[in-house]
């Protein structure tokens, strides 16, 4: 507690009584405080002395709380905790995207306030420790550890992802990761945790699609002995296990609506009860969630709570599919080849040029996970110093082979797409159908076979549901 007693917290709250109450809570815990009732006086106070933590109401009588936050951030990258009412949650979310540390909704409890301020101070200490140790880490490894070090590849498509994650790592803001299956959403969450001030804390991952609905609440919040049939002992839930760290909720859109309400309350209050328990528990966690569906569509269709979506989608991260990452696919393939070869005591070192070409041209509907599985199978079944074209025959059968400096052979087109070339004797090109029509028919057929279930159809086609929704909207508007 010795370090915390030295921390100076500015409380910017236009309500005299509320501000005084927050200050009294903080002073009881050993913090120094100053209370400002308007934005301009807060600006003067910050100019005079920058605090360690800023507790900032977004709605002030003179200027926006965001202006005060920006002013403080320009002078020192201090953690800013946003205070907001329900009517201004969107403003609070914007503040988080601008670099806010956390936001709490009125009315909030003393415990919720103290948990957030304590977490902010822990981040300060972690960053100070990191700075003290940085020269040693730079000397030993060449550079400090970052989010980027957890990924393989450096495509332009991933650059914005890295930048967003680096910014997110410095706050407690919830991160919502979207992308097709196999694009590395859990790797993204783990990288975010490891690069944050919570790296020393636990990283707990839960797959929401793999847990039966009747056991979900127990899995997240735990249960007491005898809480239900089969509860023969007390269970500590994921929210409690992740205290001081990160809770990763994969396939969040599969969560039952009833539990969504309880998760929302936990995010708002940082408190929960075990199933069958009476004691109110508190946990300081950072939430990272992920889905391969389109969460906005689920919200629009009533399958996902809108208020929870806004709570979780503070920092949205969209992971690109492997086919959109350019030469990263070859870099990843080389990385996995070395990894799988070493694990299986084999001698693979490289790919032939023909094999590399196949890897580049294959669409990889299963993304990085499919690439890993393909290479592991090759390493297990063969033993050589290189991967050649024959070892990738299963992929080669599903792409149009390239000939003569990347031109497509007409024979391949005839056999694979059942389209006749102009040289085959047909007058004109009337038998060649537009690609968008073929795509539209394929998507409509998949949706029909899946009884109208678009997410299921998307999974069968190897694309994201958001892609199908976007194409349907384009067709309805007359665009191709």
């Amino acid at each position: 507690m010795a370090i915390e007693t030295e921390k100076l917290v500015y409380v910017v709250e236009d309500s005299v009584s509320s501000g005084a109450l927050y200050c009294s809570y903080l002073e009881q815990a050993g913090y120094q405080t100053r209370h400002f009732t308007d934005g301009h006086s807060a600006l003067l106070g910050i100019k005079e002395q920058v605090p360690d933590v800023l507790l900032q109401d977004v709605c002030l009588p003179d200027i926006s709380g965001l202006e005060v936050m920006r002013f403080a951030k320009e002078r020192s990258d201090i953690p800013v905790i946003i205070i907001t009412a329900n009517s201004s949650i969107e403003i609070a979310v914007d503040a988080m995207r601008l670099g806010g540390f956390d936001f709490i909704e009125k009315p909030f409890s003393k415990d919720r306030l103290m948990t957030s301020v304590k977490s902010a101070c822990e981040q300060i200490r972690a960053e100070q420790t990191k700075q003290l140790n940085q020269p040693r880490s730079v000397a030993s490894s060449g550079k400090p550890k970052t989010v980027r070090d957890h990924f393989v590849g450096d495509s332009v498509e991933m650059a914005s992802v890295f930048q967003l994650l680096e910014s997110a790592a410095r706050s407690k803001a919830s991160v919502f990761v979207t992308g097709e299956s196999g694009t590395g959403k859990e790797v993204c969450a783990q990288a975010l945790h490891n690069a944050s001030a919570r790296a020393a804390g636990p990283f707990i991952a839960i797959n929401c699609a793999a847990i039966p609905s009747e056991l979900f609440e127990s899995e997240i919040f735990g249960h007491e002995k005898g809480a239900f049939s089969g509860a023969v002992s007390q269970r500590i839930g994921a929210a409690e296990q992740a205290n001081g760290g990160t809770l990763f909720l994969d396939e969040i859109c599969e969560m039952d609506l009833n539990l969504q309400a309880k998760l929302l309350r936990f995010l708002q209050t940082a408190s929960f009860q075990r199933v069958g328990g009476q004691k109110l528990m508190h946990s300081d966690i950072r939430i990272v969630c992920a889905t391969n569906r389109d969460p906005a569509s689920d919200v629009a269709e009533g399958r996902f709570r809108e208020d929870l979506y806004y709570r979780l989608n503070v920092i949205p991260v969209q992971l690109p599919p492997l086919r959109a990452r350019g030469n990263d696919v070859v870099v990843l393939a080389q990385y996995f080849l070395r990894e799988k070869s070493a694990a299986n005591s084999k001698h693979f070192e490289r790919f032939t040029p023909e094999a590399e070409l196949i890897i580049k041209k294959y669409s990889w509907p299963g993304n990085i996970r499919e690439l890993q599985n393909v290479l592991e199978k090759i390493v297990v079944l063969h033993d050589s110093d290189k991967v050649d074209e024959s070892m990738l025959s299963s992929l080669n059968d599903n792409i149009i082979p390239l000939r003569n400096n990347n031109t497509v052979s007409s024979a391949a087109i005839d056999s694979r797409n059942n389209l006749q070339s102009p040289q085959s004797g047909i007058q004109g090109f009337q038998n060649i159908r537009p690609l968008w029509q073929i795509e539209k028919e394929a998507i409509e057929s998949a949706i029909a076979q899946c009884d109208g279930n678009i997410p299921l159809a998307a999974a069968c086609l190897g694309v994201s549901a958001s892609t199908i929704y976007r194409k349907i909207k384009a067709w309805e508007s007359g665009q191709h």
Side-chain angles (χ1 to χ4, degrees), residues 322-379:
L322 184 56
R323 60 184 172 276
R325 291 180 56 179
N327 199 55
D328 276 2
V329 64
V330 175
V331 178
L332 280 160
Q334 292 169 340
Y335 173 82
F336 291 133
L337 181 66
R338 291 191 296 268
E339 181 184 64
K340 304 299 181 185
S341 183
N344 290 275
S345 300
K346 296 295 181 71
H347 305 92
F348 285 99
E349 295 179 354
R350 61 187 178 89
F351 296 87
T352 65
E354 294 79 12
E356 275 196 13
L357 190 60
I358 292 172
I359 289 172
K360 287 181 181 179
K361 293 301 177 182
Y362 183 61
S363 64
W364 297 106
N367 293 292
I368 298 172
R369 187 180 297 121
E370 182 183 9
L371 176 62
Q372 284 183 291
N373 292 342
V374 166
L375 292 176
E376 184 167 26
K377 181 179 178 181
I378 288 173
V379 169

Side-chain angles (χ1 to χ4, degrees), residues 256-469:
D256 182 79
L257 281 169
N258 180 53
L259 190 62
Q260 288 179 30
K262 294 183 178 181
L263 178 61
L264 176 63
R265 184 180 183 280
F266 170 61
L267 291 175
Q268 291 171 335
T269 65
S271 62
F272 64 95
Q273 290 177 312
R274 297 184 187 132
V275 178
Q278 300 297 319
K279 183 181 178 182
L280 195 64
M281 313 285 291
H282 297 275
S283 186
D284 172 28
I285 65 173
R286 201 260 186 85
I287 294 280
V288 179
C289 57
T291 182
N292 60 1
R293 287 158 53 170
D294 182 1
S297 297
D298 279 5
V299 169
E301 295 172 15
R303 293 194 296 267
F304 200 80
R305 290 180 64 108
E306 184 176 19
D307 46 6
L308 178 59
Y309 174 63
Y310 283 120
R311 253 287 174 179
L312 294 172
N313 195 44
V314 176
I315 300 180
V317 176
Q318 173 75 41
L319 290 180
L322 184 56
R323 60 184 172 276
R325 291 180 56 179
N327 199 55
D328 276 2
V329 64
V330 175
V331 178
L332 280 160
Q334 292 169 340
Y335 173 82
F336 291 133
L337 181 66
R338 291 191 296 268
E339 181 184 64
K340 304 299 181 185
S341 183
N344 290 275
S345 300
K346 296 295 181 71
H347 305 92
F348 285 99
E349 295 179 354
R350 61 187 178 89
F351 296 87
T352 65
E354 294 79 12
E356 275 196 13
L357 190 60
I358 292 172
I359 289 172
K360 287 181 181 179
K361 293 301 177 182
Y362 183 61
S363 64
W364 297 106
N367 293 292
I368 298 172
R369 187 180 297 121
E370 182 183 9
L371 176 62
Q372 284 183 291
N373 292 342
V374 166
L375 292 176
E376 184 167 26
K377 181 179 178 181
I378 288 173
V379 169
V380 169
L381 296 180
H382 303 86
D383 196 1
S384 175
D385 65 334
K386 61 183 178 295
V387 175
D388 60 31
E389 187 176 5
S390 66
M391 298 177 190
L392 293 168
S393 58
S394 61
L395 304 184
N396 202 23
D397 290 341
N398 290 291
I399 60 175
I400 298 175
L402 304 181
R403 300 289 186 271
N404 301 327
N405 296 325
N406 297 333
T407 58
V408 183
S409 70
S410 59
I413 296 177
D414 288 342
S415 62
R416 298 181 189 279
N417 296 328
N418 199 28
L419 296 175
Q420 297 188 28
S421 65
Q423 293 82 4
S424 62
I426 300 298
Q427 294 181 356
F429 301 90
Q430 63 268 28
N431 284 357
I432 298 179
R433 298 166 58 217
L435 184 61
W436 72 267
Q437 286 186 358
I438 299 172
E439 182 182 60
K440 184 172 184 288
E441 290 172 8
I443 290 175
E444 289 176 341
S445 174
I447 293 174
Q449 292 181 58
C450 295
D451 297 323
N453 188 325
I454 290 179
L456 179 59
C460 293
L461 290 169
V463 300
S464 65
S466 60
T467 298
I468 294 183
Y469 284 117

